Amino acid sequence: MQEALETRASNDRPPPIVSEAAAIWVPPKAGIFKVNFSVFVIDLGQTYGIGVVIRNELGVFMVGLSKKMDATWANQGTQAAGLYGMSEAIIISQQQGFDEIIIEGDLPNVLKIFKESRDVTSSMGLRVIDIANELRKFRSYEVAIVSRQGNRVATRLA
């Protein structure tokens, strides 16, 4: 049900985002790791939690992250928090040496900003550029939107 993405983007634009949301977790192809991330609002938007889960093609848990965001990021709103969560998911993937990933998030508005951001002078625009540059370091990658139900484990960690 999920459409594939362009796996490499030009240097001046972030990669396109798939708009289809999977309702359940779907395993990746052999040799590819699925990286699910979620951001959850805590304390009426004053604090956010980040959850990241990385699994292989068999659905075996490889590594995870559960982290509260400091007030600096929390005060910038859900979209900035989501971009920060995506960045954390990419960093942990790199640290673990995974070079082929599918990164899925359940934050369609955040991923829409990632896809459409052209304002490189804003703080979010700069974050989008940073994320796109980090993604280009992988041998292959896809970015996708997944439903909250399809992202349950990452959401629980958040």
Side-chain angles (χ1 to χ4, degrees):
M1 178 154 210
Q2 188 175 15
E3 297 175 23
L5 297 172
E6 183 75 29
T7 57
R8 296 286 177 191
S10 68
N11 288 334
D12 61 342
R13 290 186 44 202
I17 305 297
V18 66
S19 59
E20 187 86 18
I24 60 170
W25 188 85
V26 178
K29 292 179 182 176
I32 298 175
F33 295 89
K34 188 160 281 190
V35 182
N36 290 86
F37 77 96
S38 188
V39 176
F40 193 78
V41 178
I42 305 169
D43 301 332
L44 300 174
Q46 298 303 309
T47 308
Y48 292 87
I50 299 170
V52 178
V53 175
I54 302 176
R55 294 181 275 190
N56 68 10
E57 71 272 10
L58 300 174
V60 174
F61 176 85
M62 304 303 290
V63 66
L65 170 74
S66 179
K67 181 177 180 178
K68 280 190 179 178
M69 298 190 27
D70 64 23
T72 304
W73 280 102
N75 291 335
Q76 293 184 30
T78 305
Q79 293 174 334
L83 289 172
Y84 182 77
M86 186 176 187
S87 181
E88 287 290 312
I90 291 167
I91 289 168
I92 196 169
S93 299
Q94 291 170 330
Q95 289 173 340
Q96 296 299 312
F98 303 134
D99 62 350
E100 295 188 64
I101 65 168
I102 298 171
I103 186 164
E104 291 183 334
D106 56 12
L107 306 161
N109 291 338
V110 170
L111 296 174
K112 183 179 177 185
I113 285 174
F114 182 75
K115 177 183 178 181
E116 296 176 355
S117 182
R118 306 267 191 284
D119 180 9
V120 296
T121 60
S122 73
S123 61
M124 277 201 276
L126 293 172
R127 173 62 65 176
V128 168
I129 297 295
D130 288 345
I131 290 170
N133 287 335
E134 289 303 312
L135 283 171
R136 286 185 189 97
K137 294 178 183 178
F138 290 94
R139 186 167 61 186
S140 71
Y141 64 86
E142 295 177 15
V143 179
I145 298 169
V146 65
S147 71
R148 178 94 26 180
Q149 182 177 357
N151 209 25
R152 283 189 310 257
V153 177
T155 302
R156 287 182 183 146
L157 283 177

